[in-house]
PDB file of all heavy atoms in Angstrom:
ATOM      1  N   GLU A 127      47.630   3.238  28.765  1.00  0.00           N
ATOM      2  CA  GLU A 127      48.478   2.652  27.726  1.00  0.00           C
ATOM      3  C   GLU A 127      48.075   3.132  26.343  1.00  0.00           C
ATOM      4  O   GLU A 127      48.921   3.374  25.485  1.00  0.00           O
ATOM      5  CB  GLU A 127      48.410   1.127  27.800  1.00  0.00           C
ATOM      6  CG  GLU A 127      49.117   0.554  29.015  1.00  0.00           C
ATOM      7  CD  GLU A 127      48.850  -0.920  29.221  1.00  0.00           C
ATOM      8  OE1 GLU A 127      48.089  -1.520  28.433  1.00  0.00           O
ATOM      9  OE2 GLU A 127      49.404  -1.481  30.179  1.00  0.00           O
ATOM     10  N   LYS A 134      59.820  12.292  20.494  1.00  0.00           N
ATOM     11  CA  LYS A 134      60.414  11.799  19.253  1.00  0.00           C
ATOM     12  C   LYS A 134      61.923  11.930  19.364  1.00  0.00           C
ATOM     13  O   LYS A 134      62.440  12.896  19.929  1.00  0.00           O
ATOM     14  CB  LYS A 134      59.933  12.621  18.057  1.00  0.00           C
ATOM     15  CG  LYS A 134      58.610  12.186  17.528  1.00  0.00           C
ATOM     16  CD  LYS A 134      58.345  12.862  16.197  1.00  0.00           C
ATOM     17  CE  LYS A 134      57.014  12.443  15.642  1.00  0.00           C
ATOM     18  NZ  LYS A 134      56.713  13.163  14.403  1.00  0.00           N
ATOM     19  N   VAL A 149      64.971  21.997  19.660  1.00  0.00           N
ATOM     20  CA  VAL A 149      65.570  22.023  18.325  1.00  0.00           C
ATOM     21  C   VAL A 149      65.803  20.603  17.848  1.00  0.00           C
ATOM     22  O   VAL A 149      66.000  19.686  18.644  1.00  0.00           O
ATOM     23  CB  VAL A 149      66.903  22.814  18.303  1.00  0.00           C
ATOM     24  CG1 VAL A 149      66.667  24.273  18.617  1.00  0.00           C
ATOM     25  CG2 VAL A 149      67.910  22.215  19.268  1.00  0.00           C
ATOM     26  N   SER A 167      57.658  25.881  33.405  1.00  0.00           N
ATOM     27  CA  SER A 167      56.953  24.640  33.747  1.00  0.00           C
ATOM     28  C   SER A 167      57.001  23.633  32.592  1.00  0.00           C
ATOM     29  O   SER A 167      57.125  22.428  32.818  1.00  0.00           O
ATOM     30  CB  SER A 167      55.506  24.917  34.167  1.00  0.00           C
ATOM     31  OG  SER A 167      54.801  25.599  33.160  1.00  0.00           O
ATOM     32  N   PHE A 170      60.392  22.077  32.728  1.00  0.00           N
ATOM     33  CA  PHE A 170      60.425  21.114  33.828  1.00  0.00           C
ATOM     34  C   PHE A 170      59.796  19.789  33.394  1.00  0.00           C
ATOM     35  O   PHE A 170      60.371  18.717  33.609  1.00  0.00           O
ATOM     36  CB  PHE A 170      59.710  21.673  35.057  1.00  0.00           C
ATOM     37  CG  PHE A 170      59.527  20.661  36.144  1.00  0.00           C
ATOM     38  CD1 PHE A 170      60.594  20.297  36.948  1.00  0.00           C
ATOM     39  CD2 PHE A 170      58.308  20.063  36.347  1.00  0.00           C
ATOM     40  CE1 PHE A 170      60.437  19.345  37.944  1.00  0.00           C
ATOM     41  CE2 PHE A 170      58.131  19.106  37.334  1.00  0.00           C
ATOM     42  CZ  PHE A 170      59.203  18.749  38.136  1.00  0.00           C
ATOM     43  N   THR A 174      61.508  16.080  32.795  1.00  0.00           N
ATOM     44  CA  THR A 174      61.038  15.031  33.699  1.00  0.00           C
ATOM     45  C   THR A 174      60.673  13.753  32.954  1.00  0.00           C
ATOM     46  O   THR A 174      60.932  12.663  33.440  1.00  0.00           O
ATOM     47  CB  THR A 174      59.813  15.528  34.505  1.00  0.00           C
ATOM     48  OG1 THR A 174      60.201  16.684  35.238  1.00  0.00           O
ATOM     49  CG2 THR A 174      59.323  14.475  35.455  1.00  0.00           C
ATOM     50  N   GLU A 177      60.691   7.925  29.122  1.00  0.00           N
ATOM     51  CA  GLU A 177      60.225   7.142  27.983  1.00  0.00           C
ATOM     52  C   GLU A 177      58.798   7.555  27.638  1.00  0.00           C
ATOM     53  O   GLU A 177      58.578   8.644  27.175  1.00  0.00           O
ATOM     54  CB  GLU A 177      60.303   5.650  28.322  1.00  0.00           C
ATOM     55  CG  GLU A 177      61.720   5.139  28.448  1.00  0.00           C
ATOM     56  CD  GLU A 177      62.494   5.188  27.134  1.00  0.00           C
ATOM     57  OE1 GLU A 177      61.916   4.858  26.086  1.00  0.00           O
ATOM     58  OE2 GLU A 177      63.675   5.568  27.173  1.00  0.00           O
ATOM     59  N   THR A 185      50.149  15.732  34.476  1.00  0.00           N
ATOM     60  CA  THR A 185      49.297  16.534  35.356  1.00  0.00           C
ATOM     61  C   THR A 185      49.697  16.325  36.808  1.00  0.00           C
ATOM     62  O   THR A 185      49.838  17.288  37.566  1.00  0.00           O
ATOM     63  CB  THR A 185      47.811  16.177  35.140  1.00  0.00           C
ATOM     64  OG1 THR A 185      47.472  16.464  33.778  1.00  0.00           O
ATOM     65  CG2 THR A 185      46.909  16.964  36.062  1.00  0.00           C
ATOM     66  N   THR A 204      47.163  19.520  28.987  1.00  0.00           N
ATOM     67  CA  THR A 204      46.482  19.148  27.743  1.00  0.00           C
ATOM     68  C   THR A 204      46.851  20.120  26.624  1.00  0.00           C
ATOM     69  O   THR A 204      47.155  19.702  25.504  1.00  0.00           O
ATOM     70  CB  THR A 204      44.955  19.111  27.956  1.00  0.00           C
ATOM     71  OG1 THR A 204      44.664  18.139  28.966  1.00  0.00           O
ATOM     72  CG2 THR A 204      44.223  18.761  26.677  1.00  0.00           C
ATOM     73  N   ALA A 205      46.859  21.415  26.927  1.00  0.00           N
ATOM     74  CA  ALA A 205      47.234  22.423  25.933  1.00  0.00           C
ATOM     75  C   ALA A 205      48.695  22.271  25.525  1.00  0.00           C
ATOM     76  O   ALA A 205      49.038  22.374  24.339  1.00  0.00           O
ATOM     77  CB  ALA A 205      46.970  23.823  26.481  1.00  0.00           C
ATOM     78  N   GLN A 209      50.319  21.291  21.801  1.00  0.00           N
ATOM     79  CA  GLN A 209      51.371  22.051  21.117  1.00  0.00           C
ATOM     80  C   GLN A 209      52.519  21.136  20.706  1.00  0.00           C
ATOM     81  O   GLN A 209      53.047  21.246  19.602  1.00  0.00           O
ATOM     82  CB  GLN A 209      51.929  23.153  22.028  1.00  0.00           C
ATOM     83  CG  GLN A 209      51.054  24.339  22.193  1.00  0.00           C
ATOM     84  CD  GLN A 209      51.728  25.371  23.088  1.00  0.00           C
ATOM     85  OE1 GLN A 209      52.467  25.038  24.006  1.00  0.00           O
ATOM     86  NE2 GLN A 209      51.443  26.640  22.837  1.00  0.00           N
ATOM     87  N   LYS A 211      52.412  17.948  20.105  1.00  0.00           N
ATOM     88  CA  LYS A 211      51.983  17.083  19.001  1.00  0.00           C
ATOM     89  C   LYS A 211      51.974  17.863  17.683  1.00  0.00           C
ATOM     90  O   LYS A 211      52.434  17.358  16.650  1.00  0.00           O
ATOM     91  CB  LYS A 211      50.591  16.515  19.269  1.00  0.00           C
ATOM     92  CG  LYS A 211      50.594  15.393  20.280  1.00  0.00           C
ATOM     93  CD  LYS A 211      49.178  14.869  20.474  1.00  0.00           C
ATOM     94  CE  LYS A 211      49.135  13.702  21.433  1.00  0.00           C
ATOM     95  NZ  LYS A 211      47.757  13.210  21.613  1.00  0.00           N
ATOM     96  N   ALA A 213      53.726  20.403  16.910  1.00  0.00           N
ATOM     97  CA  ALA A 213      55.099  20.691  16.525  1.00  0.00           C
ATOM     98  C   ALA A 213      55.851  19.439  16.076  1.00  0.00           C
ATOM     99  O   ALA A 213      56.941  19.515  15.532  1.00  0.00           O
ATOM    100  CB  ALA A 213      55.848  21.358  17.693  1.00  0.00           C
TER     101      ALA A 213
END
Side-chain angles (χ1 to χ4, degrees):
E127 289 170 359
K134 277 191 180 176
V149 295
S167 57
F170 171 76
T174 301
E177 291 295 319
T185 299
T204 300
Q209 285 181 327
K211 284 181 177 180

